[in-house]
Amino acid sequence: AKEFFELKEFKKKHGHTNPSRWNKEFQSLGIWCQNQKKSHKNGGVSSTRIDLLEVLDVGGIRILIKKRT
């Protein structure tokens, strides 16, 4: 998905993977990240996607992943 590429680029530029959904420039990416975290919390994220998010160290996902193991 294009969002993974965008998030990877965001992390290179900003040093973190927590784009604000309130910032107009990163709003769609911030909403996508928030949705990934919510989906994971509700059990709706595949293990492949979790692995990709974990590699990118998406804020919040790492905490949720620890609960699953």
Side-chain angles (χ1 to χ4, degrees):
K2 70 177 183 134
E3 290 86 359
F4 286 107
F5 176 75
E6 289 176 11
L7 189 58
K8 187 176 180 180
E9 293 302 309
F10 180 91
K11 184 176 181 177
K12 280 183 190 176
K13 186 174 181 180
H14 300 282
H16 62 87
T17 55
N18 226 357
S20 173
R21 61 190 178 114
W22 304 111
N23 181 318
K24 287 184 180 183
E25 184 179 357
F26 308 112
Q27 188 172 33
S28 64
L29 186 59
I31 291 170
W32 180 81
C33 286
Q34 181 182 24
N35 289 339
Q36 298 308 300
K37 291 178 223 177
K38 283 182 181 179
S39 291
H40 183 275
K41 186 176 181 179
N42 295 324
V45 177
S46 70
S47 60
T48 302
R49 182 163 285 205
I50 290 169
D51 291 344
L52 288 169
L53 292 168
E54 192 173 32
V55 166
L56 289 174
D57 191 25
V58 173
I61 290 291
R62 182 168 293 245
I63 294 165
L64 293 170
I65 289 172
K66 286 181 182 177
K67 289 181 182 178
R68 129 186 120 121
T69 56

